Amino acid sequence: MIAYNIEILKKIATNLERFDGWVFGLPPGINPEQWPLDPNTGYPLMHGFTLKLPEDYRIHDGIVGISFFAVAAEHNNGGPECVDGLEEAILAEQSPEDPLFKPFWELAQRVHPSCEYVTDILGCYYATLLLTEEAFYGDFCHPPKVLSRNFDNDVSYPDWLKEGGASCFWKSIYSSSLNLPPEKYGIYRYLGGIPPEAIDFNRAIVLNANPNDPNAGKMPTDDCADYVHPFDNNLDWVETIGPNHLGGTAFPYQGIPDFLTPYYIEFDEMFGGYNFGSGNAQLDIKTRDFDWSCG
């Protein structure tokens, strides 16, 4: 088992070429009614990335990839924006009596069968879908039609639904008041320019094997003598590990999550456009647990 760096290319994943996945854009192989909803708002969660897994990371039967969805960045400002009572209604076993909530509950019942939700410490929702080979190469899926809303305490329509996740992330980073040219921004260099206002805009990703990482196949932990800690010494191999990687050595900003197995993805905010407080996140493929910490 080896670790992999995940490189963001200045290319688009298309129906003809999927590479090893993509960031931003749209998920594959589902229909709109199967798109995960944000229980706090009733809006679709934002697609962050889809990754095709190498053979030694395919630990779920028949599954070759995973798609990750996240709360809209503007709905996470030190805690989630919420419609009162909607979360409880969407997650209830029985259809709610309130007619305002009933359509959202019904739509949530049709979410993809592999969907699994997780919340962070703030109560914001994220979700993962497991993908077969057929699903990974399936058609790109546009979000479902937003249901009619008549809530007294409604929340704003997500910006990514209007212009795409990449454009929203660029606008959250770029500031004209800093008088810096766009090419000085990391996201500009990652994406190869200013992303267009397009919901289907993506950037392809590829996996690059990293045989120098001594922790591939090991469970990241602070308590295991077998795990080589990257901060113990001045080790040359540490420099070979990218900010977005599959397996190997973990570099969380605030301690290693206790749920991590050797089968995990570590990624930063630019890997799909999130609000991690300038930090990074870890998603475990085996347990499908998720956490992030600010920088």
Side-chain angles (χ1 to χ4, degrees):
M1 189 173 185
I2 60 176
Y4 297 82
N5 287 325
I6 310 176
E7 180 185 358
I8 300 176
L9 303 178
K10 298 176 181 64
K11 298 180 180 180
I12 297 174
T14 67
N15 284 328
L16 296 178
E17 179 57 84
R18 294 290 166 95
F19 298 88
D20 291 319
W22 57 94
V23 294
F24 300 108
L26 302 171
I30 63 172
N31 63 58
E33 290 187 338
Q34 293 178 315
W35 192 297
L37 294 182
D38 184 344
N40 285 322
T41 68
Y43 289 114
L45 288 171
M46 180 188 69
H47 172 257
F49 66 83
T50 290
L51 176 67
K52 189 174 186 183
L53 302 167
E55 291 285 348
D56 46 354
Y57 285 82
R58 297 179 185 179
I59 54 176
H60 299 287
D61 290 342
I63 298 302
V64 307
I66 190 167
S67 289
F68 176 76
F69 297 78
V71 58
E74 71 270 26
H75 291 164
N76 173 18
N77 185 18
E81 291 194 18
C82 305
V83 173
D84 290 344
L86 184 58
E87 178 188 20
E88 294 81 2
I90 285 180
L91 300 180
E93 294 184 3
Q94 302 294 328
S95 177
E97 295 182 1
D98 192 325
L100 292 178
F101 295 153
K102 190 178 183 69
F104 294 88
W105 182 87
E106 291 174 344
L107 185 58
Q109 304 315 299
R110 297 192 288 272
V111 71
H112 193 272
S114 76
C115 178
E116 189 160 313
Y117 289 105
V118 66
T119 57
D120 61 21
I121 194 172
L122 302 175
C124 295
Y125 276 88
Y126 304 83
T128 53
L129 301 184
L130 299 179
L131 305 173
T132 62
E133 185 94 12
E134 181 181 10
F136 179 81
Y137 289 103
D139 292 339
F140 293 112
C141 176
H142 281 260
K145 181 180 178 181
V146 173
L147 297 172
S148 297
R149 309 171 66 91
N150 296 288
F151 304 118
D152 291 335
N153 66 318
D154 206 358
V155 299
S156 61
Y157 191 92
D159 290 336
W160 74 266
L161 277 174
K162 295 177 284 188
E163 59 185 77
S167 176
C168 288
F169 190 64
W170 164 256
K171 291 178 180 179
S172 73
I173 299 297
Y174 176 74
S175 173
S176 58
S177 65
L178 295 179
N179 295 318
L180 290 176
E183 57 269 22
K184 294 295 185 179
Y185 288 80
I187 185 63
Y188 182 99
R189 297 191 295 274
Y190 261 76
L191 302 183
I194 299 173
E197 294 185 359
I199 195 170
D200 60 351
F201 173 84
N202 69 48
R203 276 295 181 247
I205 54 179
V206 292
L207 294 170
N208 298 317
N210 182 12
N212 297 305
D213 191 332
N215 290 314
K218 301 177 184 178
M219 181 181 298
T221 176
D222 290 322
D223 303 318
C224 179
D226 189 43
Y227 182 78
V228 184
H229 288 274
F231 306 114
D232 288 348
N233 297 288
N234 185 20
L235 304 172
D236 292 339
W237 58 264
V238 171
E239 301 300 322
T240 71
I241 302 172
N244 307 307
H245 63 94
L246 179 63
T249 307
F251 292 89
Y253 278 75
Q254 296 185 26
I256 298 175
D258 58 10
F259 59 76
L260 283 188
T261 72
Y263 310 94
Y264 77 97
I265 308 165
E266 184 168 72
F267 55 99
D268 61 18
E269 293 179 322
M270 283 192 256
F271 199 71
Y274 318 102
N275 179 5
F276 295 153
S278 300
N280 69 358
Q282 296 78 35
L283 170 66
D284 197 275
I285 301 164
K286 183 176 183 179
T287 67
R288 299 173 72 184
D289 287 318
F290 167 80
D291 198 12
W292 63 271
S293 55
C294 58

